[in-house]
Amino acid sequence: MKSIILSIALLAMGQLAFAQNAEEEAIKNIIIKETLSFYYCDAAAWESTMLPVDHHTWTVTTFNDPGSAATGQGLSFINNMKGYLNSGNCKKSEPKIKYSDWNIQIRGTVAWAAYKERTTMPDDTEIDAYTMKILEKQDGVWKISATSSVWDFNHASKPWNPKGAATKN
């Protein structure tokens, strides 16, 4: 009898772990899709990863001025970003991105993911970012509701020029 109860408990724990892993993979996939669609200037794909709510927030270190940040909030931010991604100002790029040090916590329909992102730009500049995203599950799909990302320009493979151009070592 004890072995049957133990077997049922282990099976239930295995199912819970599998469900958690599936949820974590879904969260990682949304985050990766958001990042790549931004670099590819794909407004529709990028928008599909965003939670369209007034409490949406976004703060990242800017590429062209280390030490400064770009911020946005709410539906107006999402609409403005879609406009940028659809404009001629958005320059498609195909960087190589490696993700590591994932820490994903899920609490019902809210989750957060902290991770390190190493981006290798087409000119071979490598920059690390330390990112935290908050996601909410809506209609069974995880969507990003907040982003905070800090780029580590001091440890980039090439020193970063505040005028916006990478310099050679």
Side-chain angles (χ1 to χ4, degrees):
M1 181 67 165
K2 286 183 182 179
S3 63
I4 292 174
I5 292 172
L6 180 61
S7 296
I8 292 171
L10 288 174
L11 181 61
M13 288 173 34
Q15 292 295 325
L16 181 60
F18 178 75
Q20 179 78 5
N21 288 340
E23 291 294 304
E24 288 179 7
E25 286 304 311
I27 288 168
K28 287 178 183 179
N29 288 336
I30 287 293
I31 288 169
I32 292 166
K33 179 180 179 181
E34 183 269 337
T35 303
L36 291 176
S37 61
F38 179 84
Y39 281 114
Y40 296 164
C41 300
D42 186 340
W46 181 84
E47 181 183 23
S48 74
T49 67
M50 296 290 124
L51 186 67
V53 292
D54 284 329
H55 66 265
H56 186 98
T57 60
W58 188 80
T59 304
V60 299
T61 307
T62 60
F63 284 105
N64 58 351
D65 190 6
S68 67
T71 63
Q73 188 168 8
L75 296 172
S76 63
F77 160 74
I78 293 172
N79 289 330
N80 289 339
M81 187 60 77
K82 284 182 350 190
Y84 166 74
L85 293 172
N86 280 325
S87 76
N89 293 330
C90 186
K91 304 295 183 225
K92 183 179 177 181
S93 180
E94 295 189 13
K96 295 174 187 158
I97 303 171
K98 294 179 185 174
Y99 299 88
S100 64
D101 302 332
W102 287 96
N103 178 4
I104 298 174
Q105 301 295 314
I106 301 170
R107 303 293 186 267
T109 59
V110 176
W112 62 93
Y115 56 94
K116 181 179 175 181
E117 180 181 302
R118 158 107 0 139
T119 302
T120 304
M121 300 305 288
D123 72 354
D124 291 327
T125 299
E126 290 182 330
I127 303 174
D128 292 334
Y130 303 92
T131 303
M132 165 76 88
K133 293 190 188 279
I134 299 172
L135 299 95
E136 298 178 41
K137 199 170 198 182
Q138 187 178 68
D139 299 324
V141 178
W142 289 103
K143 302 276 186 162
I144 299 167
S145 64
T147 296
S148 177
S149 186
V150 177
W151 288 76
D152 184 357
F153 291 101
N154 291 327
H155 296 98
S157 64
K158 298 178 183 179
W160 201 262
N161 180 334
K163 303 274 188 232
T167 58
K168 295 184 179 186
N169 287 334

